Amino acid sequence: MIDIANLMAVSIPPADPKEWLPNAEAGVDYLQSQLRNDETILYALLQCTLVHGVLADRAKVTPPDHADLLHAMLMPDSTWSISHVSGGGAPDRVYLAPPHDHTGSDALDDAESLVARRSFSAVDKGKTRTEVSQRLVHALGLYWLDEESAFCRLDEHGDIEPVLRVIDVEPYTGQSSEILVTIKARDLARYMVVTNTVLVQKFDFTRFIPGSFTMWAQPGEYRERGADLFYNVTSQPGASYANGILISRPGLTFADLVREHRRRWNDEDKQYATFKAYDWKHQRIAEISCAPTALASYFEPESPLPFQITPAFFRPGVLQRYKADPEKYRLEHRSVYSRAGWSLKTYDINEAGQVHTYLHYLGDLPYHEQLYWQAFNEWPKASISKRAYQTDIQGQWTDIPDPLIELVAEVRKLDEAKPEWWQPRGEDLRATAHYPITTSPDEWGNAILILDQMLVEGFASKGIRARLDNLSHPYEKEWGSLKLIQELMIAQGFAASDATEAMEPLRQLHFLRSKIKGHAAEAQRQQLIKEARTKNGSLKEHFEQLAFDCQKAFEKACSSLSRA
């Protein structure tokens, strides 16, 4: 990261600036030290500092012509424009002019602009706009995020990674027009390699106290620190400056990039973890690598290696990370997707409550994700689920009902149809509807909360009242949606007892949600948890039964509302 504190130290006068003022060359020291950093300054405008970087054709600055480059004028408000040239007896010419077509330096004419400062004259009332090269941003696959004040990407873990930052330094300087733009050095190096360019930074560190400075007492002294760092410097009591050029060349070569892409394409450096698994091909349990070379296809029965679809088993908590972070992960019916780009094609849960999947699919995961699964790995306590056997081994459609999947599908249809008695729930909520799989009361409570939000809260009382009005059936204004649906059933000919019984599962769901995730006393909450375990054997089984009952009730409610 850029050392902003030290940048401020060379750019902002301290409380006692007596020794600071004559030492502008300290700014050059700072800029040179940043060559070892993992972040590079593209543009910096602070009280006593200006750094402006552009990309120049490598051939034009190899070797660099110091005198030519020191004459360069790089203006931050230089942008693309449609220019018109006339006179001199030649025909008029209208052409697209690049930002730096007349810099005063042959080497930098037509250099690639990276940062531009623009103002919408007489319209902008706030800060000067800072724009960056779209070619650079697109090539690196970056996207602007306001909350990061940066162009970002996703790293290998699916976390947001700021790459090109636009840093407002007003909190440091008190000046609204001052800004710092940086980029990760390796990303800039990759871009320079493929565009055959180098970064040329024009810098100016000028120190004086406004109002007390009159003129420079002597001309600047020319200095070099190697072929790629050269500048003019002068120092006198109360003032100094150092301005010049720093050229940064990529530490990568084209061959390096080719090798890097080949390794990634061929998974040459990929590592593979070992898992406790049931090798059903050889009727044994063993620790087996998930590497492709350690497994055989189902169509290679003569191979001594275990099958690719050898199952490994895990404690149920392995799925919690994905359920807890729906922004990064999408946990579907029997698969997991990460926004980092990887996926686990299939998993299921057996009768012993173990999550299981196959070694072949574990091998598709990044190594760090394999290690996460490995931490939950355990020996099998039961076989794979009946559903997994039907779909994965026999290649058949499963005949095992899944009420939660069917409820999600029904809610999706209602969201798309938008009847007046339904408030759309949205994809984000539907995607978080999952069975609890651990013994955690919190997981069970969250599952109940989401199920209630998806079903009960979806009913719009206003639309239900309109149906009762059409049937001239009386109701109380304070009645909730479930009571109104119950009355609608009665108005349609249901016996009162049948209507009450039909809505009871949804009423029980809403009651549990209000007590388990609401403000019920802890003693009552614990009693409800105890009752759920006692009646059903576990919180997981309680929720499965509740979902099954709610599916029937929801179907009856929707059928009644659709008929009215």
Side-chain angles (χ1 to χ4, degrees):
M1 298 286 286
I2 285 291
D3 188 342
I4 294 182
N6 281 341
L7 177 59
M8 294 303 122
V10 300
S11 305
I12 309 299
D16 182 3
K18 183 178 180 181
E19 295 182 2
W20 183 87
L21 287 169
N23 191 26
E25 197 170 6
V28 182
D29 297 336
Y30 171 83
L31 205 57
Q32 187 176 32
S33 73
Q34 295 306 297
L35 292 174
R36 301 185 296 272
N37 209 320
D38 63 354
E39 199 169 11
T40 299
I41 295 174
L42 296 182
Y43 184 82
L45 175 63
L46 298 104
Q47 184 173 336
C48 299
T49 294
L50 173 63
V51 179
H52 189 173
V54 296
L55 293 180
D57 186 323
R58 181 183 303 180
K60 289 185 177 182
V61 292
T62 307
D65 183 334
H66 293 189
D68 173 73
L69 289 166
L70 286 172
H71 281 99
M73 293 289 292
L74 300 177
M75 305 305 295
D77 58 353
S78 294
T79 61
W80 289 94
S81 62
I82 298 176
S83 294
H84 174 213
V85 176
S86 64
D92 284 13
R93 188 164 69 98
V94 178
Y95 66 100
L96 184 64
H100 302 299
D101 57 340
H102 297 296
T103 63
S105 162
D106 291 339
L108 296 187
D109 282 348
D110 298 334
E112 182 175 350
S113 176
L114 298 176
V115 178
R117 308 294 307 283
R118 302 175 67 212
S119 295
F120 195 179
S121 179
V123 175
D124 281 346
K125 305 300 182 184
K127 299 180 179 181
T128 303
R129 303 178 190 215
T130 301
E131 300 176 359
V132 301
S133 164
Q134 289 298 288
R135 191 166 91 144
L136 175 66
V137 166
H138 291 182
L140 296 177
L142 307 180
Y143 297 86
W144 177 259
L145 290 180
D146 288 333
E147 59 269 30
E148 296 289 344
S149 190
F151 289 92
C152 305
R153 64 169 168 239
L154 296 175
D155 66 13
E156 62 178 345
H157 301 285
D159 293 322
I160 293 170
E161 178 184 18
V163 176
L164 197 161
R165 299 193 294 157
V166 180
I167 304 168
D168 182 0
V169 294
E170 183 178 358
Y172 301 94
T173 68
Q175 301 297 318
S176 62
S177 63
E178 298 183 343
I179 202 80
L180 173 64
V181 182
T182 69
I183 188 172
K184 286 189 176 292
R186 182 170 178 82
D187 288 277
L188 180 61
R190 291 171 56 231
Y191 184 80
M192 288 193 289
V193 168
V194 298
T195 57
N196 200 31
T197 57
V198 297
L199 178 68
V200 178
Q201 292 168 302
K202 176 80 173 180
F203 61 83
D204 189 317
F205 300 96
T206 301
R207 300 179 177 184
F208 63 89
I209 301 297
S212 63
F213 175 77
T214 55
M215 61 180 294
W216 297 109
Q218 58 188 14
E221 175 187 345
Y222 174 70
R223 294 183 182 176
E224 293 182 9
R225 299 189 188 182
D228 288 341
L229 176 55
F230 44 95
Y231 54 96
N232 293 308
V233 61
T234 192
S235 177
Q236 62 192 52
S240 61
Y241 70 76
N243 60 62
I245 296 289
L246 172 62
I247 301 174
S248 301
R249 302 178 186 271
L252 296 170
T253 66
F254 181 78
D256 291 333
L257 288 187
V258 170
R259 282 192 294 269
E260 179 182 307
H261 280 264
R262 282 180 175 171
R263 283 197 302 269
R264 188 160 53 244
W265 179 262
N266 297 323
D267 280 339
E268 291 179 9
D269 299 326
K270 185 169 182 178
Q271 296 174 277
Y272 296 92
T274 297
F275 294 92
K276 300 179 180 75
Y278 171 57
D279 177 7
W280 58 279
K281 181 178 183 180
H282 301 103
Q283 297 295 302
R284 64 179 183 134
I285 57 173
E287 294 191 353
I288 305 171
S289 170
C290 66
T293 54
L295 303 169
S297 164
Y298 186 73
F299 302 102
E300 301 176 88
E302 302 304 319
S303 170
L305 298 175
F307 284 135
Q308 293 172 335
I309 52 173
T310 296
F313 299 79
F314 306 87
R315 298 193 305 277
V318 70
L319 297 178
Q320 285 298 88
R321 128 194 277 183
Y322 311 121
K323 296 175 72 172
D325 195 352
E327 186 174 285
K328 284 177 60 175
Y329 306 104
R330 190 170 84 251
L331 184 64
E332 295 196 347
H333 175 41
R334 291 178 59 194
S335 55
V336 183
Y337 297 87
S338 168
R339 68 182 184 185
W342 59 261
S343 64
L344 182 70
K345 185 173 181 179
T346 186
Y347 73 87
D348 211 332
I349 301 169
N350 66 10
E351 292 182 357
Q354 292 176 298
V355 175
H356 58 81
T357 187
Y358 306 107
L359 293 181
H360 173 69
Y361 299 128
L362 288 167
D364 289 338
L365 301 180
Y367 184 60
H368 64 81
E369 204 66 27
Q370 294 176 29
L371 294 180
Y372 169 76
W373 280 77
Q374 188 186 62
F376 291 85
N377 189 209
E378 59 184 6
W379 296 113
K381 299 176 182 176
S383 182
I384 62 174
S385 68
K386 179 182 177 182
R387 176 172 55 187
Y389 183 75
Q390 289 177 330
T391 59
D392 303 341
I393 307 301
Q394 295 181 317
Q396 300 174 351
W397 294 105
T398 182
D399 58 4
I400 300 173
D402 191 316
L404 190 57
I405 293 299
E406 294 181 24
L407 281 170
V408 169
E410 185 60 33
V411 169
R412 181 183 292 108
K413 291 178 184 177
L414 291 174
D415 283 358
E416 293 171 353
K418 298 182 177 63
E420 64 273 22
W421 47 266
W422 182 256
Q423 303 175 84
R425 304 287 78 201
E427 177 61 30
D428 289 346
L429 178 61
R430 297 197 305 268
T432 59
H434 302 296
Y435 291 104
I437 58 174
T438 69
T439 59
S440 167
D442 285 339
E443 186 191 10
W444 173 70
N446 287 334
I448 287 174
L449 170 64
I450 291 167
L451 188 60
D452 182 76
Q453 290 174 332
M454 189 174 70
L455 302 183
V456 178
E457 289 189 7
F459 293 121
S461 296
K462 183 178 179 180
I464 304 171
R465 292 191 192 102
R467 275 160 164 63
L468 287 169
D469 289 337
N470 290 338
L471 295 173
S472 300
H473 189 86
Y475 58 85
E476 301 292 335
K477 290 184 177 181
E478 67 273 12
W479 284 354
S481 60
L482 297 183
K483 176 64 174 175
L484 291 170
I485 295 171
Q486 181 177 313
E487 289 298 315
L488 180 62
M489 288 181 170
I490 294 171
Q492 293 172 335
F494 279 74
S497 59
D498 291 341
T500 300
E501 182 180 353
M503 288 296 97
E504 182 56 30
L506 293 174
R507 191 177 293 107
Q508 178 66 12
L509 170 65
H510 196 59
F511 169 78
L512 286 172
R513 177 260 174 96
S514 65
K515 299 303 179 183
I516 300 298
K517 300 301 291 185
H519 301 286
E522 181 62 20
Q524 184 180 17
R525 179 175 178 273
Q526 291 299 327
Q527 181 60 33
L528 290 170
I529 293 170
K530 180 179 179 181
E531 289 175 0
R533 284 172 169 157
T534 301
K535 182 178 179 180
N536 298 92
S538 70
L539 296 179
K540 173 179 176 292
E541 291 174 308
H542 170 271
F543 183 86
E544 290 173 350
Q545 184 62 51
L546 180 63
F548 182 79
D549 294 340
C550 284
Q551 181 197 4
K552 292 182 178 179
F554 192 72
E555 287 177 354
K556 292 176 182 177
C558 292
S559 176
S560 180
L561 287 162
S562 298
R563 287 201 313 270

